[in-house]
Amino acid sequence: MKKILLIIDHEFSAYQMSTYLKQNEKRYIVDLLTKNKNKNNLTKIFRTNLRKSFYFDDPPSPKFFSILKFWNIVYAKRNKLINKKVQNLLRNDSFEIKYYDEIYFSNEIISHYILYKSNAKKIFFAHSPIDVLLNVKFNLIKKIKIYVECFVNNTLMNIYFKGNGNFQLKSIFHNFLKKKKIDQLLSIDVFKKIFSKYNKYKIKKISKYNYNLINFATPYYVNNIKYPDTLLKNYVDFFLKNILNKIFKKNSKDDVFLIKFRKNIPKKFQLEVMKLIKKKFPMRNIILVNKNFPRLTNLDKVIINFNIKQYFTTFSSSIYISKILDKKILIYDYTLLTREFWKKNWINLKTKNNFNNYPLAIKFYKNLSKKL
């Protein structure tokens, strides 16, 4: 009987891993390694098959070698010391990575340490549609760069680094690729059933209303105060003028608009933005999801609990999950509009990799949305 370790830091990864386990219908023993804060949320998903759970607090992020940051090679000893500390803490709880035949993981920091030199089969569950780039065939120069970086990280930096065929990729997003790879797919029907089971709540809705969902994609690092106040103000002004204004113009005044912020955006900031919205659009029926429906912690949970007519968003995983949860939903993508804003504020952009990777990744997917 196979012994499988699940390393999970996020519910979405848990739903994908559970989908894969159920669609395979093989006999196995499952152990769970997750953060202390996730004890109740994740153990219930795997309760029927779970043997033992191990808990951890996030270690410091490892330092990775790259061609453009070759000097990071000096951090190899630092990585080794953290790795040793992590292993010792887990060993005190009778945890040994060598006992597992397969290991499922996603973007957890701890996986870079405990998977180092592990011979177990490693399966990575994509956290984002952009993860499709992990298996893209690049030109020769890019291939050499990736090969060198992977080799140095896995041999000299004392950490595990995905690359050079040392993992398998599974993803619910791959169902929407123009060219699918069967061995990477997860069952849409099984995923929807699992997601619905753990995220359907009794929500008071008024049947005569059309509900529309707006993803207010505020700068990601706003909660860490890494963007200046003037930039945040300019972004909000831009959003109201160039995005919300367009959304409201194309919809009936009788519609309800559910506005959702990322859960890590400060409540004070959300309420200030809502005041501005209601002042600028006083005749609109607007609801702040984060305040009125606190259990709906992400966009996907909003979609499964409301009969959403239209969904307005930037490019994100929610585009594909929404189509799994409700095939009839109309999706409008305003990514191109926000890109114009960030091109003018490039020096302040903290997520340049995602900004640059989006145009490349989107080429591999079927078009499920309309441009706003």
Side-chain angles (χ1 to χ4, degrees):
M1 189 178 295
K2 280 186 179 179
K3 298 181 182 67
I4 301 174
L5 175 67
L6 313 177
I7 308 175
I8 310 176
D9 181 26
H10 194 280
E11 283 182 45
F12 183 70
S13 301
Y15 301 138
Q16 291 197 90
M17 292 178 191
S18 181
T19 298
Y20 182 60
L21 289 171
K22 286 186 181 300
Q23 72 185 42
N24 280 340
E25 296 183 345
K26 294 179 180 178
R27 297 187 68 191
Y28 47 79
I29 293 172
V30 169
D31 287 350
L32 174 67
L33 176 62
T34 188
K35 287 185 182 179
N36 281 296
K37 66 177 184 179
N38 293 330
K39 285 182 181 179
N40 297 327
N41 290 340
L42 298 183
T43 52
K44 64 182 180 183
I45 297 174
F46 301 97
R47 187 175 292 130
T48 56
N49 297 306
L50 193 60
R51 180 181 64 169
K52 187 173 182 179
S53 296
F54 303 94
Y55 304 103
F56 67 91
D57 294 318
D58 252 344
S61 296
K63 293 290 186 179
F64 298 104
F65 168 87
S66 72
I67 300 296
L68 297 179
K69 292 185 178 181
F70 60 89
W71 56 84
N72 275 2
I73 195 78
V74 301
Y75 290 107
K77 186 175 180 180
R78 169 192 177 273
N79 288 343
K80 185 176 183 179
L81 291 173
I82 297 173
N83 197 335
K84 186 176 180 180
K85 184 177 180 180
V86 168
Q87 299 285 359
N88 287 339
L89 286 172
L90 289 173
R91 201 169 286 120
N92 289 338
D93 198 22
S94 302
F95 174 87
E96 288 284 356
I97 194 75
K98 64 184 179 182
Y99 293 144
Y100 297 100
D101 302 300
E102 295 183 1
I103 300 170
Y104 302 172
F105 69 108
S106 187
N107 290 327
E108 302 78 15
I109 292 174
I110 198 170
S111 65
H112 295 293
Y113 296 109
I114 66 172
L115 295 185
Y116 176 59
K117 289 190 175 180
S118 168
N119 294 320
K121 180 180 179 181
K122 303 173 186 66
I123 302 180
F124 177 78
F125 289 81
H127 212 62
S128 159
I130 290 179
D131 286 334
V132 68
L133 300 179
L134 291 171
N135 277 355
V136 168
K137 293 182 179 179
F138 294 103
N139 60 39
L140 182 60
I141 294 176
K142 185 73 173 178
K143 281 182 180 178
I144 293 173
K145 177 180 179 294
I146 292 172
Y147 179 85
V148 170
E149 291 176 349
C150 183
F151 177 80
V152 173
N153 278 299
N154 282 293
T155 56
L156 301 178
M157 296 298 292
N158 299 299
I159 51 172
Y160 168 75
F161 185 84
K162 296 189 300 295
N164 295 348
N166 64 2
F167 72 103
Q168 288 186 6
L169 178 64
K170 305 289 180 184
S171 168
I172 199 69
F173 307 117
H174 282 65
N175 289 280
F176 301 98
L177 290 176
K178 294 175 182 176
K179 295 181 179 179
K180 301 177 185 179
K181 293 183 179 179
I182 301 299
D183 62 337
Q184 294 178 343
L185 301 183
L186 298 175
S187 168
I188 285 179
D189 292 336
V190 174
F191 178 90
K192 182 178 179 179
K193 186 176 181 180
I194 293 171
F195 188 92
S196 299
K197 178 180 179 181
Y198 295 105
N199 294 289
K200 270 276 193 179
Y201 308 119
K202 290 183 178 180
I203 301 289
K204 277 191 175 182
K205 301 184 286 287
I206 302 174
S207 58
K208 67 178 182 179
Y209 286 152
N210 284 321
Y211 286 91
N212 301 283
L213 175 60
I214 301 172
N215 173 17
F216 200 117
T218 316
Y220 179 80
Y221 287 101
V222 67
N223 58 314
N224 292 330
I225 320 177
K226 290 189 177 181
Y227 284 113
D229 289 341
T230 52
L231 180 67
L232 284 174
K233 182 182 182 303
N234 290 341
Y235 180 83
V236 171
D237 291 343
F238 163 84
F239 196 97
L240 268 60
K241 180 181 178 181
N242 296 280
I243 297 173
L244 277 186
N245 195 42
K246 287 187 177 182
I247 292 172
F248 291 146
K249 276 184 177 180
K250 72 190 304 302
N251 285 280
S252 167
K253 290 185 178 180
D254 295 327
D255 282 7
V256 178
F257 294 89
L258 302 169
I259 292 186
K260 179 77 175 71
F261 289 83
R262 292 180 69 103
K263 62 182 178 181
N264 61 349
I265 303 299
K267 293 288 175 62
K268 182 181 177 182
F269 178 82
Q270 296 179 37
L271 294 173
E272 288 173 353
V273 172
M274 287 300 292
K275 282 184 182 179
L276 291 173
I277 294 174
K278 290 184 176 181
K279 183 178 179 180
K280 187 173 177 62
F281 307 100
M283 305 302 292
R284 295 293 182 171
N285 189 349
I286 304 167
I287 296 173
L288 176 59
V289 173
N290 305 63
K291 178 184 177 182
N292 294 69
F293 304 101
R295 297 181 74 184
L296 307 182
T297 53
N298 59 47
L299 294 158
D300 311 326
K301 291 183 180 183
V302 178
I303 291 165
I304 197 67
N305 283 285
F306 283 89
N307 184 22
I308 299 296
K309 174 187 172 186
Q310 297 174 115
Y311 172 38
F312 303 89
T313 183
T314 54
F315 177 70
S316 77
S317 61
S318 61
I319 287 178
Y320 304 99
I321 304 305
S322 64
K323 278 296 182 181
I324 291 174
L325 302 177
D326 183 359
K327 293 180 180 179
K328 296 179 181 178
I329 192 169
L330 294 175
I331 304 170
Y332 292 88
D333 184 354
Y334 61 78
T335 305
L336 293 178
L337 294 174
T338 56
R339 286 180 71 80
E340 290 304 314
F341 176 87
W342 288 113
K343 282 178 183 177
K344 296 175 183 177
N345 295 277
W346 182 254
I347 192 171
N348 295 300
L349 186 62
K350 302 296 191 297
T351 53
K352 291 182 173 66
N353 282 342
N354 283 347
F355 189 92
N356 290 326
N357 287 336
Y358 158 73
L360 179 58
I362 198 65
K363 291 179 181 178
F364 295 96
Y365 286 96
K366 295 176 182 176
N367 187 16
L368 301 182
S369 61
K370 300 179 180 180
K371 303 298 179 230
L372 181 63

